[in-house]
Amino acid sequence: MAVTFSDLHTESGLKALDAFLSGKSYISGSQLNKDDVKVYTSVQKPSADLYPNASKWYEAVAAKLATGFPGKAVGVQIGGKAPVAAVEAQEEAAADDDDLDLFGDETEEEKKAAEAREAAKAPAKKKESGKSSVLMDIKPWDDETDMKKLEEAVRSVEMPGLLWGASKLVAVGYGIKKLQIMLTIVDDLVSVDTMIEEQLTVEPLNEYIQSCDIVAFNKI
């Protein structure tokens, strides 16, 4: 049903508009449409103190319209009152122009542009953590320690960011050999010192492992 506003340039007209907009965001519907534009072109900026509802609506419409005209405005003031014929011509053009829908649903291109703007505001993706190559010496208790089981025990340690590599047995003396093994780690995920203290040299692995030493530690 059509809504009629009269004498919007007068105090009584603004009071009627302010009362109508109580509890409403727009003239009709829940989004800005041609009804709002039509009333907007017919009213001067209402006083926020005298007409709070109309003032809030006016500012919202002005902000929406501003986004449709990206050029930088320097600001103008118009004295006097526009001829009635000119106002009526503007209103008829807004009512009849069904092909121009500045405030309809977003197109796919507009949605993608909005998503791109939001993505640009988001924090930059955290740089991928670096990796390191580590060489370790793992020593048994004595010459009777089963070195095959010792290596199996070492490789049984698994965690995100840890990759065991090549290994070999190196003679130490008195018939004792140590296991020398390579591993690659993701720096932010694996602490070699913690792995030694909390996994390699505690039960049940310490049945085979006496001690572990970091021989080399190189960033990749």
Side-chain angles (χ1 to χ4, degrees), residues 85-139:
V87 173
E88 291 177 347
Q90 287 181 337
E91 293 174 349
E92 289 175 0
D96 295 336
D97 189 6
D98 293 329
D99 294 330
L100 181 61
D101 187 6
L102 296 177
F103 310 107
D105 294 336
E106 286 186 315
T107 64
E108 285 300 320
E109 289 76 11
E110 290 171 337
K111 289 180 180 179
K112 289 179 180 178
E115 290 172 357
R117 288 193 296 270
E118 290 301 319
K121 295 177 185 177
K125 186 178 180 181
K126 185 178 178 182
K127 186 178 180 181
E128 184 178 353
S129 175
K131 295 181 180 180
S132 297
S133 176
V134 184
L135 177 63
M136 290 179 59
D137 278 351
I138 301 177
K139 297 175 184 176

Side-chain angles (χ1 to χ4, degrees), residues 148-192:
K148 184 177 179 180
K149 290 185 178 180
L150 181 145
E151 182 172 354
E152 290 176 352
V154 171
R155 292 183 182 276
S156 69
V157 176
E158 296 180 350
M159 65 181 69
L162 170 64
L163 178 64
W164 294 105
S167 65
K168 65 179 180 178
L169 296 178
V170 179
V172 177
Y174 303 101
I176 300 175
K177 294 182 180 181
K178 65 182 178 182
L179 175 69
Q180 198 166 76
I181 188 167
M182 295 289 300
L183 57 146
T184 301
I185 64 169
V186 175
D187 296 333
D188 285 353
L189 299 178
V190 180
S191 166
V192 179

Side-chain angles (χ1 to χ4, degrees), residues 66-79:
T67 61
F69 303 93
K72 183 177 180 181
V74 296
V76 296
Q77 293 182 342
I78 300 175

